[in-house]
Amino acid sequence: MPMFQSLHISASALTAERLRMDVISSNIANVDTTRARFVNGEWEPYRRKVVVIEPRGEQFSSYLQAALGRTGAVGNGVRVREITDDPAPFKLVYDPDHPDAGADGYVRLPNVDPLKEMVDLIGATRSYEANVTALNASKGMLMKALEIGK
Amino acid sequence: MSLFSSTIHWLEQGLRYASLRQQAIADNIANADTPGYKAKDVRFQAELDRALQLEAKRTDPSHFPFRNEQNGKIIVTTNANISYNHNGNSVDIDQEMSKLAENQIYYNALIERINGKFNTLKTVIKGGK
């Protein structure tokens, strides 16, 4: 059983949560971006990005240990599988003076809802804090293990 | 009779269990936002009790002992039936955090005990000096 596995598990979650925060920041920063991509001679607004996370599977060694009847198989933390675009439709706002307004006077704005982003941001922050607590607990236990026999 | 009684062995088993449980809790907290993830837990105590009970009487010393493997088995369980979240996640973060604290104290207690055991041996070896 790897000694520092619990630290690595928490660290993987810290990485994932930080990436989530980065993506949320990007979404909030681009809340008014109308020229994100040039598609077929036309500017397309920014699309909201979503982080897809998945559990990192058990390693072979933990399955082997489980098969030998020593210990069970525990997961290996979390990882980001991909960053996808939110397919939700763009917001339409009537603003004929805008340079990117269509012939009907409507401007397509990104499908970013700042309220939703703020809620996600709070969620990511809290998860990050919980993982820092878990990391500190693991660290404390390992430090305590060094005291055996002293 | 061996110098180190079986107490140290059982304490070591307990430490193994506690560090595996720490891994499971860390994994649950890490996956608190992962869709479809089911919380894991580590069980040991019941298996330990059963392992301690199973000691067969040997009529001949060359017989294999009934309990040839002194390892209490540690098993990882997953409860797939609960969902606390709309995305199929079953991690109860409050429960995980309290389990984290509990496991930490349990681990530290085991370390204290194993240290006490070694100190006792040290006292004996030094002849009480």
Side-chain angles (χ1 to χ4, degrees), chain A residues 1 5 9 13 17 20 55 72 75 77-78 127 131 137-138 141 144-145 147-149, chain B residues 16 19-20 22-24 26-27 29-31 33-34 73-74 76 104 107-108 111-112 115:
Chain A
M1 185 164 57
Q5 196 58 34
I9 290 171
E17 297 299 341
R20 264 182 81 199
V78 67
S127 298
N131 281 295
S138 305
M141 281 166 64
K144 195 81 182 166
E147 289 174 20
I148 295 177
Chain B
R16 260 180 1 110
S19 62
L20 189 74
Q22 178 69 15
Q23 267 185 53
D27 197 43
I29 296 174
N31 283 290
D33 295 324
T34 310
K73 208 175 171 190
I74 302 172
V76 179
Q104 210 177 350
Y107 189 88
N108 288 353
I111 298 269
E112 292 291 326
N115 274 336

PDB file of all heavy atoms in Angstrom, chain A residues 1 5 9 13 17 20 55 72 75 77-78 127 131 137-138 141 144-145 147-149, chain B residues 16 19-20 22-24 26-27 29-31 33-34 73-74 76 104 107-108 111-112 115:
ATOM      1  N   MET A   1       0.863  -1.204   0.000  1.00  0.00           N
ATOM      2  CA  MET A   1       0.000   0.000   0.000  1.00  0.00           C
ATOM      3  C   MET A   1       0.889   1.240   0.000  1.00  0.00           C
ATOM      4  O   MET A   1       1.723   1.390   0.868  1.00  0.00           O
ATOM      5  CB  MET A   1      -0.895  -0.027   1.235  1.00  0.00           C
ATOM      6  CG  MET A   1      -1.886   1.094   1.255  1.00  0.00           C
ATOM      7  SD  MET A   1      -3.181   0.794   2.424  1.00  0.00           S
ATOM      8  CE  MET A   1      -2.275   0.565   3.940  1.00  0.00           C
ATOM      9  N   GLN A   5      -0.472   7.744  -0.527  1.00  0.00           N
ATOM     10  CA  GLN A   5      -1.606   7.688  -1.436  1.00  0.00           C
ATOM     11  C   GLN A   5      -2.706   8.684  -1.055  1.00  0.00           C
ATOM     12  O   GLN A   5      -3.269   9.362  -1.917  1.00  0.00           O
ATOM     13  CB  GLN A   5      -2.168   6.274  -1.476  1.00  0.00           C
ATOM     14  CG  GLN A   5      -3.086   6.004  -2.650  1.00  0.00           C
ATOM     15  CD  GLN A   5      -2.416   6.249  -3.982  1.00  0.00           C
ATOM     16  OE1 GLN A   5      -1.218   6.020  -4.136  1.00  0.00           O
ATOM     17  NE2 GLN A   5      -3.161   6.741  -4.943  1.00  0.00           N
ATOM     18  N   ILE A   9      -4.380  11.551  -3.358  1.00  0.00           N
ATOM     19  CA  ILE A   9      -5.816  11.615  -3.651  1.00  0.00           C
ATOM     20  C   ILE A   9      -6.335  13.032  -3.427  1.00  0.00           C
ATOM     21  O   ILE A   9      -6.996  13.616  -4.297  1.00  0.00           O
ATOM     22  CB  ILE A   9      -6.581  10.599  -2.783  1.00  0.00           C
ATOM     23  CG1 ILE A   9      -6.274   9.173  -3.244  1.00  0.00           C
ATOM     24  CG2 ILE A   9      -8.076  10.855  -2.838  1.00  0.00           C
ATOM     25  CD1 ILE A   9      -6.797   8.102  -2.326  1.00  0.00           C
ATOM     26  N   ALA A  13      -7.701  16.159  -6.160  1.00  0.00           N
ATOM     27  CA  ALA A  13      -8.939  16.930  -6.028  1.00  0.00           C
ATOM     28  C   ALA A  13      -8.647  18.424  -6.008  1.00  0.00           C
ATOM     29  O   ALA A  13      -9.404  19.215  -6.581  1.00  0.00           O
ATOM     30  CB  ALA A  13      -9.674  16.517  -4.772  1.00  0.00           C
ATOM     31  N   GLU A  17     -10.356  21.012  -8.525  1.00  0.00           N
ATOM     32  CA  GLU A  17     -11.168  22.146  -8.068  1.00  0.00           C
ATOM     33  C   GLU A  17     -10.584  23.467  -8.549  1.00  0.00           C
ATOM     34  O   GLU A  17     -11.313  24.398  -8.871  1.00  0.00           O
ATOM     35  CB  GLU A  17     -11.280  22.151  -6.544  1.00  0.00           C
ATOM     36  CG  GLU A  17     -11.986  20.946  -5.956  1.00  0.00           C
ATOM     37  CD  GLU A  17     -13.434  20.792  -6.406  1.00  0.00           C
ATOM     38  OE1 GLU A  17     -14.016  21.776  -6.873  1.00  0.00           O
ATOM     39  OE2 GLU A  17     -13.945  19.667  -6.299  1.00  0.00           O
ATOM     40  N   ARG A  20     -11.569  23.899 -12.028  1.00  0.00           N
ATOM     41  CA  ARG A  20     -12.971  24.338 -12.079  1.00  0.00           C
ATOM     42  C   ARG A  20     -13.068  25.837 -11.843  1.00  0.00           C
ATOM     43  O   ARG A  20     -13.809  26.545 -12.524  1.00  0.00           O
ATOM     44  CB  ARG A  20     -13.774  23.621 -10.982  1.00  0.00           C
ATOM     45  CG  ARG A  20     -14.497  22.392 -11.455  1.00  0.00           C
ATOM     46  CD  ARG A  20     -15.279  21.794 -10.323  1.00  0.00           C
ATOM     47  NE  ARG A  20     -16.541  22.439 -10.095  1.00  0.00           N
ATOM     48  CZ  ARG A  20     -17.231  22.332  -8.962  1.00  0.00           C
ATOM     49  NH1 ARG A  20     -16.760  21.625  -7.968  1.00  0.00           N
ATOM     50  NH2 ARG A  20     -18.394  22.934  -8.834  1.00  0.00           N
ATOM     51  N   PRO A  55     -14.193  10.040 -11.425  1.00  0.00           N
ATOM     52  CA  PRO A  55     -13.281   9.417 -10.461  1.00  0.00           C
ATOM     53  C   PRO A  55     -12.115   8.757 -11.174  1.00  0.00           C
ATOM     54  O   PRO A  55     -12.285   8.174 -12.244  1.00  0.00           O
ATOM     55  CB  PRO A  55     -14.155   8.385  -9.746  1.00  0.00           C
ATOM     56  CG  PRO A  55     -15.344   8.205 -10.575  1.00  0.00           C
ATOM     57  CD  PRO A  55     -15.515   9.393 -11.434  1.00  0.00           C
ATOM     58  N   GLY A  72      -8.634  -3.900   0.588  1.00  0.00           N
ATOM     59  CA  GLY A  72      -9.602  -3.679  -0.482  1.00  0.00           C
ATOM     60  C   GLY A  72      -9.077  -2.658  -1.465  1.00  0.00           C
ATOM     61  O   GLY A  72      -8.030  -2.065  -1.282  1.00  0.00           O
ATOM     62  N   GLY A  75     -10.406   3.950  -4.440  1.00  0.00           N
ATOM     63  CA  GLY A  75     -10.200   4.792  -5.612  1.00  0.00           C
ATOM     64  C   GLY A  75      -8.954   5.633  -5.492  1.00  0.00           C
ATOM     65  O   GLY A  75      -8.253   5.628  -4.474  1.00  0.00           O
ATOM     66  N   GLY A  77      -8.648   9.059  -6.337  1.00  0.00           N
ATOM     67  CA  GLY A  77      -8.841  10.491  -6.458  1.00  0.00           C
ATOM     68  C   GLY A  77      -9.752  10.839  -7.618  1.00  0.00           C
ATOM     69  O   GLY A  77     -10.587  10.046  -8.032  1.00  0.00           O
ATOM     70  N   VAL A  78      -9.555  12.034  -8.134  1.00  0.00           N
ATOM     71  CA  VAL A  78     -10.464  12.542  -9.158  1.00  0.00           C
ATOM     72  C   VAL A  78      -9.635  13.157 -10.279  1.00  0.00           C
ATOM     73  O   VAL A  78      -8.478  13.534 -10.074  1.00  0.00           O
ATOM     74  CB  VAL A  78     -11.431  13.566  -8.512  1.00  0.00           C
ATOM     75  CG1 VAL A  78     -10.701  14.805  -8.055  1.00  0.00           C
ATOM     76  CG2 VAL A  78     -12.571  13.932  -9.426  1.00  0.00           C
ATOM     77  N   SER A 127     -15.408  22.943  -1.736  1.00  0.00           N
ATOM     78  CA  SER A 127     -14.803  21.630  -1.979  1.00  0.00           C
ATOM     79  C   SER A 127     -13.291  21.709  -1.813  1.00  0.00           C
ATOM     80  O   SER A 127     -12.669  20.813  -1.243  1.00  0.00           O
ATOM     81  CB  SER A 127     -15.127  21.144  -3.381  1.00  0.00           C
ATOM     82  OG  SER A 127     -16.503  20.984  -3.524  1.00  0.00           O
ATOM     83  N   ASN A 131     -11.003  19.596   0.882  1.00  0.00           N
ATOM     84  CA  ASN A 131      -9.858  18.773   0.492  1.00  0.00           C
ATOM     85  C   ASN A 131      -8.580  19.212   1.190  1.00  0.00           C
ATOM     86  O   ASN A 131      -7.726  18.374   1.473  1.00  0.00           O
ATOM     87  CB  ASN A 131      -9.688  18.798  -1.025  1.00  0.00           C
ATOM     88  CG  ASN A 131     -10.673  17.876  -1.707  1.00  0.00           C
ATOM     89  OD1 ASN A 131     -10.608  16.673  -1.514  1.00  0.00           O
ATOM     90  ND2 ASN A 131     -11.587  18.441  -2.450  1.00  0.00           N
ATOM     91  N   ALA A 137      -5.233  16.486   7.510  1.00  0.00           N
ATOM     92  CA  ALA A 137      -5.451  15.335   8.385  1.00  0.00           C
ATOM     93  C   ALA A 137      -4.490  14.205   8.025  1.00  0.00           C
ATOM     94  O   ALA A 137      -3.848  13.612   8.906  1.00  0.00           O
ATOM     95  CB  ALA A 137      -6.894  14.863   8.270  1.00  0.00           C
ATOM     96  N   SER A 138      -4.360  13.923   6.722  1.00  0.00           N
ATOM     97  CA  SER A 138      -3.440  12.865   6.272  1.00  0.00           C
ATOM     98  C   SER A 138      -2.012  13.198   6.654  1.00  0.00           C
ATOM     99  O   SER A 138      -1.255  12.334   7.102  1.00  0.00           O
ATOM    100  CB  SER A 138      -3.531  12.688   4.766  1.00  0.00           C
ATOM    101  OG  SER A 138      -4.845  12.437   4.369  1.00  0.00           O
ATOM    102  N   MET A 141      -1.440  12.609  10.301  1.00  0.00           N
ATOM    103  CA  MET A 141      -1.322  11.185  10.620  1.00  0.00           C
ATOM    104  C   MET A 141       0.044  10.649  10.235  1.00  0.00           C
ATOM    105  O   MET A 141       0.650   9.878  10.980  1.00  0.00           O
ATOM    106  CB  MET A 141      -2.417  10.404   9.897  1.00  0.00           C
ATOM    107  CG  MET A 141      -3.760  10.509  10.579  1.00  0.00           C
ATOM    108  SD  MET A 141      -5.107   9.949   9.539  1.00  0.00           S
ATOM    109  CE  MET A 141      -4.710   8.234   9.339  1.00  0.00           C
ATOM    110  N   LYS A 144       2.551  11.796  12.663  1.00  0.00           N
ATOM    111  CA  LYS A 144       2.397  11.052  13.913  1.00  0.00           C
ATOM    112  C   LYS A 144       3.040   9.666  13.784  1.00  0.00           C
ATOM    113  O   LYS A 144       3.634   9.162  14.735  1.00  0.00           O
ATOM    114  CB  LYS A 144       0.902  10.925  14.217  1.00  0.00           C
ATOM    115  CG  LYS A 144       0.574  10.505  15.618  1.00  0.00           C
ATOM    116  CD  LYS A 144       0.629  11.643  16.591  1.00  0.00           C
ATOM    117  CE  LYS A 144       0.334  11.121  17.974  1.00  0.00           C
ATOM    118  NZ  LYS A 144       0.696  12.085  19.009  1.00  0.00           N
ATOM    119  N   ALA A 145       2.918   9.075  12.591  1.00  0.00           N
ATOM    120  CA  ALA A 145       3.503   7.741  12.378  1.00  0.00           C
ATOM    121  C   ALA A 145       5.016   7.773  12.539  1.00  0.00           C
ATOM    122  O   ALA A 145       5.626   6.774  12.931  1.00  0.00           O
ATOM    123  CB  ALA A 145       3.129   7.227  10.991  1.00  0.00           C
ATOM    124  N   GLU A 147       6.523   9.205  14.756  1.00  0.00           N
ATOM    125  CA  GLU A 147       6.858   9.231  16.188  1.00  0.00           C
ATOM    126  C   GLU A 147       6.875   7.843  16.806  1.00  0.00           C
ATOM    127  O   GLU A 147       7.176   7.709  17.985  1.00  0.00           O
ATOM    128  CB  GLU A 147       5.856  10.113  16.945  1.00  0.00           C
ATOM    129  CG  GLU A 147       6.018  11.588  16.661  1.00  0.00           C
ATOM    130  CD  GLU A 147       4.920  12.406  17.303  1.00  0.00           C
ATOM    131  OE1 GLU A 147       4.293  11.896  18.252  1.00  0.00           O
ATOM    132  OE2 GLU A 147       4.690  13.539  16.849  1.00  0.00           O
ATOM    133  N   ILE A 148       6.525   6.817  16.013  1.00  0.00           N
ATOM    134  CA  ILE A 148       6.512   5.462  16.568  1.00  0.00           C
ATOM    135  C   ILE A 148       7.924   5.086  17.025  1.00  0.00           C
ATOM    136  O   ILE A 148       8.881   5.214  16.268  1.00  0.00           O
ATOM    137  CB  ILE A 148       6.011   4.439  15.527  1.00  0.00           C
ATOM    138  CG1 ILE A 148       4.556   4.714  15.169  1.00  0.00           C
ATOM    139  CG2 ILE A 148       6.133   3.023  16.061  1.00  0.00           C
ATOM    140  CD1 ILE A 148       4.006   3.815  14.099  1.00  0.00           C
ATOM    141  N   GLY A 149       8.005   4.659  18.256  1.00  0.00           N
ATOM    142  CA  GLY A 149       9.281   4.187  18.781  1.00  0.00           C
ATOM    143  C   GLY A 149      10.183   5.277  19.305  1.00  0.00           C
ATOM    144  O   GLY A 149      11.314   5.011  19.707  1.00  0.00           O
TER     145      GLY A 149
ATOM    146  N   ARG B  16      -3.027  -0.185   9.801  1.00  0.00           N
ATOM    147  CA  ARG B  16      -3.240  -0.453   8.379  1.00  0.00           C
ATOM    148  C   ARG B  16      -4.665  -0.098   7.981  1.00  0.00           C
ATOM    149  O   ARG B  16      -4.901   0.520   6.949  1.00  0.00           O
ATOM    150  CB  ARG B  16      -2.984  -1.943   8.086  1.00  0.00           C
ATOM    151  CG  ARG B  16      -1.631  -2.196   7.494  1.00  0.00           C
ATOM    152  CD  ARG B  16      -1.329  -3.648   7.173  1.00  0.00           C
ATOM    153  NE  ARG B  16      -2.351  -4.618   7.439  1.00  0.00           N
ATOM    154  CZ  ARG B  16      -3.027  -5.270   6.505  1.00  0.00           C
ATOM    155  NH1 ARG B  16      -2.825  -4.998   5.247  1.00  0.00           N
ATOM    156  NH2 ARG B  16      -3.907  -6.189   6.823  1.00  0.00           N
ATOM    157  N   SER B  19      -5.154   3.722   7.974  1.00  0.00           N
ATOM    158  CA  SER B  19      -4.584   4.460   6.837  1.00  0.00           C
ATOM    159  C   SER B  19      -5.349   4.145   5.554  1.00  0.00           C
ATOM    160  O   SER B  19      -5.491   5.024   4.703  1.00  0.00           O
ATOM    161  CB  SER B  19      -3.085   4.193   6.689  1.00  0.00           C
ATOM    162  OG  SER B  19      -2.852   2.847   6.441  1.00  0.00           O
ATOM    163  N   LEU B  20      -5.868   2.918   5.421  1.00  0.00           N
ATOM    164  CA  LEU B  20      -6.704   2.621   4.248  1.00  0.00           C
ATOM    165  C   LEU B  20      -8.011   3.403   4.314  1.00  0.00           C
ATOM    166  O   LEU B  20      -8.508   3.894   3.304  1.00  0.00           O
ATOM    167  CB  LEU B  20      -6.981   1.128   4.154  1.00  0.00           C
ATOM    168  CG  LEU B  20      -7.656   0.708   2.849  1.00  0.00           C
ATOM    169  CD1 LEU B  20      -6.657   0.750   1.706  1.00  0.00           C
ATOM    170  CD2 LEU B  20      -8.269  -0.666   2.936  1.00  0.00           C
ATOM    171  N   GLN B  22      -8.392   6.223   5.767  1.00  0.00           N
ATOM    172  CA  GLN B  22      -8.060   7.611   5.447  1.00  0.00           C
ATOM    173  C   GLN B  22      -8.070   7.820   3.930  1.00  0.00           C
ATOM    174  O   GLN B  22      -8.572   8.821   3.433  1.00  0.00           O
ATOM    175  CB  GLN B  22      -6.684   7.940   6.031  1.00  0.00           C
ATOM    176  CG  GLN B  22      -6.186   9.336   5.743  1.00  0.00           C
ATOM    177  CD  GLN B  22      -6.986  10.389   6.466  1.00  0.00           C
ATOM    178  OE1 GLN B  22      -7.723  10.084   7.391  1.00  0.00           O
ATOM    179  NE2 GLN B  22      -6.856  11.631   6.041  1.00  0.00           N
ATOM    180  N   GLN B  23      -7.529   6.815   3.216  1.00  0.00           N
ATOM    181  CA  GLN B  23      -7.538   6.887   1.748  1.00  0.00           C
ATOM    182  C   GLN B  23      -8.960   6.931   1.210  1.00  0.00           C
ATOM    183  O   GLN B  23      -9.275   7.706   0.308  1.00  0.00           O
ATOM    184  CB  GLN B  23      -6.851   5.662   1.176  1.00  0.00           C
ATOM    185  CG  GLN B  23      -5.393   5.835   0.897  1.00  0.00           C
ATOM    186  CD  GLN B  23      -4.860   4.593   0.216  1.00  0.00           C
ATOM    187  OE1 GLN B  23      -5.394   4.146  -0.783  1.00  0.00           O
ATOM    188  NE2 GLN B  23      -3.822   4.034   0.769  1.00  0.00           N
ATOM    189  N   ALA B  24      -9.811   6.068   1.774  1.00  0.00           N
ATOM    190  CA  ALA B  24     -11.193   6.004   1.295  1.00  0.00           C
ATOM    191  C   ALA B  24     -11.916   7.322   1.560  1.00  0.00           C
ATOM    192  O   ALA B  24     -12.640   7.828   0.698  1.00  0.00           O
ATOM    193  CB  ALA B  24     -11.921   4.844   1.964  1.00  0.00           C
ATOM    194  N   ALA B  26     -10.509  10.293   1.980  1.00  0.00           N
ATOM    195  CA  ALA B  26      -9.925  11.312   1.098  1.00  0.00           C
ATOM    196  C   ALA B  26     -10.508  11.179  -0.308  1.00  0.00           C
ATOM    197  O   ALA B  26     -10.803  12.181  -0.966  1.00  0.00           O
ATOM    198  CB  ALA B  26      -8.410  11.170   1.060  1.00  0.00           C
ATOM    199  N   ASP B  27     -10.694   9.933  -0.750  1.00  0.00           N
ATOM    200  CA  ASP B  27     -11.259   9.708  -2.082  1.00  0.00           C
ATOM    201  C   ASP B  27     -12.709  10.173  -2.152  1.00  0.00           C
ATOM    202  O   ASP B  27     -13.132  10.765  -3.148  1.00  0.00           O
ATOM    203  CB  ASP B  27     -11.154   8.218  -2.417  1.00  0.00           C
ATOM    204  CG  ASP B  27     -11.322   7.954  -3.894  1.00  0.00           C
ATOM    205  OD1 ASP B  27     -10.751   8.719  -4.680  1.00  0.00           O
ATOM    206  OD2 ASP B  27     -12.021   6.998  -4.253  1.00  0.00           O
ATOM    207  N   ILE B  29     -14.082  12.563  -0.300  1.00  0.00           N
ATOM    208  CA  ILE B  29     -14.116  14.025  -0.278  1.00  0.00           C
ATOM    209  C   ILE B  29     -13.665  14.565  -1.636  1.00  0.00           C
ATOM    210  O   ILE B  29     -14.226  15.535  -2.155  1.00  0.00           O
ATOM    211  CB  ILE B  29     -13.250  14.578   0.873  1.00  0.00           C
ATOM    212  CG1 ILE B  29     -13.837  14.135   2.214  1.00  0.00           C
ATOM    213  CG2 ILE B  29     -13.180  16.093   0.827  1.00  0.00           C
ATOM    214  CD1 ILE B  29     -12.996  14.508   3.408  1.00  0.00           C
ATOM    215  N   ALA B  30     -12.648  13.905  -2.222  1.00  0.00           N
ATOM    216  CA  ALA B  30     -12.157  14.350  -3.534  1.00  0.00           C
ATOM    217  C   ALA B  30     -13.249  14.243  -4.594  1.00  0.00           C
ATOM    218  O   ALA B  30     -13.316  15.057  -5.506  1.00  0.00           O
ATOM    219  CB  ALA B  30     -10.946  13.523  -3.948  1.00  0.00           C
ATOM    220  N   ASN B  31     -14.121  13.227  -4.454  1.00  0.00           N
ATOM    221  CA  ASN B  31     -15.158  13.009  -5.451  1.00  0.00           C
ATOM    222  C   ASN B  31     -16.517  13.546  -5.020  1.00  0.00           C
ATOM    223  O   ASN B  31     -17.548  13.074  -5.507  1.00  0.00           O
ATOM    224  CB  ASN B  31     -15.267  11.517  -5.763  1.00  0.00           C
ATOM    225  CG  ASN B  31     -14.149  11.057  -6.658  1.00  0.00           C
ATOM    226  OD1 ASN B  31     -14.103  11.409  -7.816  1.00  0.00           O
ATOM    227  ND2 ASN B  31     -13.229  10.302  -6.102  1.00  0.00           N
ATOM    228  N   ASP B  33     -17.978  16.135  -5.785  1.00  0.00           N
ATOM    229  CA  ASP B  33     -18.726  16.794  -6.864  1.00  0.00           C
ATOM    230  C   ASP B  33     -18.800  15.949  -8.130  1.00  0.00           C
ATOM    231  O   ASP B  33     -19.254  16.431  -9.163  1.00  0.00           O
ATOM    232  CB  ASP B  33     -18.060  18.136  -7.218  1.00  0.00           C
ATOM    233  CG  ASP B  33     -18.126  19.111  -6.071  1.00  0.00           C
ATOM    234  OD1 ASP B  33     -19.146  19.111  -5.367  1.00  0.00           O
ATOM    235  OD2 ASP B  33     -17.156  19.870  -5.870  1.00  0.00           O
ATOM    236  N   THR B  34     -18.301  14.713  -8.065  1.00  0.00           N
ATOM    237  CA  THR B  34     -18.260  13.881  -9.263  1.00  0.00           C
ATOM    238  C   THR B  34     -19.604  13.223  -9.504  1.00  0.00           C
ATOM    239  O   THR B  34     -20.103  12.525  -8.621  1.00  0.00           O
ATOM    240  CB  THR B  34     -17.183  12.796  -9.116  1.00  0.00           C
ATOM    241  OG1 THR B  34     -15.975  13.410  -8.712  1.00  0.00           O
ATOM    242  CG2 THR B  34     -16.972  12.069 -10.416  1.00  0.00           C
ATOM    243  N   LYS B  73      -8.933  -9.197   7.933  1.00  0.00           N
ATOM    244  CA  LYS B  73      -9.176  -8.753   6.573  1.00  0.00           C
ATOM    245  C   LYS B  73      -9.843  -7.377   6.568  1.00  0.00           C
ATOM    246  O   LYS B  73     -10.781  -7.138   7.317  1.00  0.00           O
ATOM    247  CB  LYS B  73     -10.046  -9.768   5.856  1.00  0.00           C
ATOM    248  CG  LYS B  73      -9.825  -9.797   4.368  1.00  0.00           C
ATOM    249  CD  LYS B  73     -10.628 -10.900   3.743  1.00  0.00           C
ATOM    250  CE  LYS B  73     -10.589 -10.804   2.241  1.00  0.00           C
ATOM    251  NZ  LYS B  73     -11.550 -11.728   1.649  1.00  0.00           N
ATOM    252  N   ILE B  74      -9.357  -6.545   5.715  1.00  0.00           N
ATOM    253  CA  ILE B  74      -9.926  -5.203   5.576  1.00  0.00           C
ATOM    254  C   ILE B  74     -10.657  -5.162   4.243  1.00  0.00           C
ATOM    255  O   ILE B  74     -10.078  -5.470   3.207  1.00  0.00           O
ATOM    256  CB  ILE B  74      -8.821  -4.138   5.606  1.00  0.00           C
ATOM    257  CG1 ILE B  74      -8.037  -4.252   6.916  1.00  0.00           C
ATOM    258  CG2 ILE B  74      -9.412  -2.753   5.474  1.00  0.00           C
ATOM    259  CD1 ILE B  74      -6.828  -3.372   6.958  1.00  0.00           C
ATOM    260  N   VAL B  76     -13.315  -3.130   1.504  1.00  0.00           N
ATOM    261  CA  VAL B  76     -13.858  -1.838   1.068  1.00  0.00           C
ATOM    262  C   VAL B  76     -15.277  -2.078   0.571  1.00  0.00           C
ATOM    263  O   VAL B  76     -15.504  -2.953  -0.259  1.00  0.00           O
ATOM    264  CB  VAL B  76     -12.999  -1.219  -0.036  1.00  0.00           C
ATOM    265  CG1 VAL B  76     -13.590   0.090  -0.491  1.00  0.00           C
ATOM    266  CG2 VAL B  76     -11.582  -1.020   0.437  1.00  0.00           C
ATOM    267  N   GLN B 104      -8.740  10.210  12.367  1.00  0.00           N
ATOM    268  CA  GLN B 104      -7.481  10.827  12.789  1.00  0.00           C
ATOM    269  C   GLN B 104      -7.211  10.553  14.270  1.00  0.00           C
ATOM    270  O   GLN B 104      -6.094  10.179  14.648  1.00  0.00           O
ATOM    271  CB  GLN B 104      -7.595  12.330  12.561  1.00  0.00           C
ATOM    272  CG  GLN B 104      -6.299  13.007  12.250  1.00  0.00           C
ATOM    273  CD  GLN B 104      -6.519  14.476  11.976  1.00  0.00           C
ATOM    274  OE1 GLN B 104      -7.657  14.936  11.848  1.00  0.00           O
ATOM    275  NE2 GLN B 104      -5.456  15.218  11.884  1.00  0.00           N
ATOM    276  N   TYR B 107      -6.378   6.888  14.781  1.00  0.00           N
ATOM    277  CA  TYR B 107      -5.003   6.603  14.357  1.00  0.00           C
ATOM    278  C   TYR B 107      -4.007   7.084  15.412  1.00  0.00           C
ATOM    279  O   TYR B 107      -3.090   6.360  15.802  1.00  0.00           O
ATOM    280  CB  TYR B 107      -4.756   7.309  13.023  1.00  0.00           C
ATOM    281  CG  TYR B 107      -3.464   6.962  12.325  1.00  0.00           C
ATOM    282  CD1 TYR B 107      -3.390   5.898  11.456  1.00  0.00           C
ATOM    283  CD2 TYR B 107      -2.314   7.720  12.535  1.00  0.00           C
ATOM    284  CE1 TYR B 107      -2.217   5.583  10.803  1.00  0.00           C
ATOM    285  CE2 TYR B 107      -1.128   7.407  11.884  1.00  0.00           C
ATOM    286  CZ  TYR B 107      -1.087   6.342  11.021  1.00  0.00           C
ATOM    287  OH  TYR B 107       0.077   6.034  10.381  1.00  0.00           O
ATOM    288  N   ASN B 108      -4.219   8.323  15.892  1.00  0.00           N
ATOM    289  CA  ASN B 108      -3.313   8.865  16.905  1.00  0.00           C
ATOM    290  C   ASN B 108      -3.351   8.044  18.180  1.00  0.00           C
ATOM    291  O   ASN B 108      -2.314   7.839  18.822  1.00  0.00           O
ATOM    292  CB  ASN B 108      -3.676  10.322  17.207  1.00  0.00           C
ATOM    293  CG  ASN B 108      -3.300  11.237  16.067  1.00  0.00           C
ATOM    294  OD1 ASN B 108      -2.651  10.808  15.122  1.00  0.00           O
ATOM    295  ND2 ASN B 108      -3.715  12.479  16.143  1.00  0.00           N
ATOM    296  N   ILE B 111      -1.250   5.018  17.680  1.00  0.00           N
ATOM    297  CA  ILE B 111       0.175   5.365  17.746  1.00  0.00           C
ATOM    298  C   ILE B 111       0.601   5.512  19.204  1.00  0.00           C
ATOM    299  O   ILE B 111       1.665   5.021  19.620  1.00  0.00           O
ATOM    300  CB  ILE B 111       0.440   6.679  16.972  1.00  0.00           C
ATOM    301  CG1 ILE B 111       0.085   6.518  15.495  1.00  0.00           C
ATOM    302  CG2 ILE B 111       1.870   7.135  17.157  1.00  0.00           C
ATOM    303  CD1 ILE B 111       1.171   6.077  14.598  1.00  0.00           C
ATOM    304  N   GLU B 112      -0.254   6.192  20.007  1.00  0.00           N
ATOM    305  CA  GLU B 112       0.055   6.353  21.434  1.00  0.00           C
ATOM    306  C   GLU B 112       0.216   4.987  22.092  1.00  0.00           C
ATOM    307  O   GLU B 112       1.124   4.757  22.886  1.00  0.00           O
ATOM    308  CB  GLU B 112      -1.069   7.127  22.135  1.00  0.00           C
ATOM    309  CG  GLU B 112      -1.199   8.585  21.736  1.00  0.00           C
ATOM    310  CD  GLU B 112      -0.048   9.432  22.225  1.00  0.00           C
ATOM    311  OE1 GLU B 112       0.464   9.139  23.328  1.00  0.00           O
ATOM    312  OE2 GLU B 112       0.367  10.357  21.491  1.00  0.00           O
ATOM    313  N   ASN B 115       3.360   3.203  21.029  1.00  0.00           N
ATOM    314  CA  ASN B 115       4.496   3.821  21.709  1.00  0.00           C
ATOM    315  C   ASN B 115       4.570   3.384  23.161  1.00  0.00           C
ATOM    316  O   ASN B 115       5.656   3.110  23.682  1.00  0.00           O
ATOM    317  CB  ASN B 115       4.376   5.348  21.641  1.00  0.00           C
ATOM    318  CG  ASN B 115       4.962   5.880  20.353  1.00  0.00           C
ATOM    319  OD1 ASN B 115       5.807   5.236  19.750  1.00  0.00           O
ATOM    320  ND2 ASN B 115       4.507   7.041  19.947  1.00  0.00           N
TER     321      ASN B 115
END
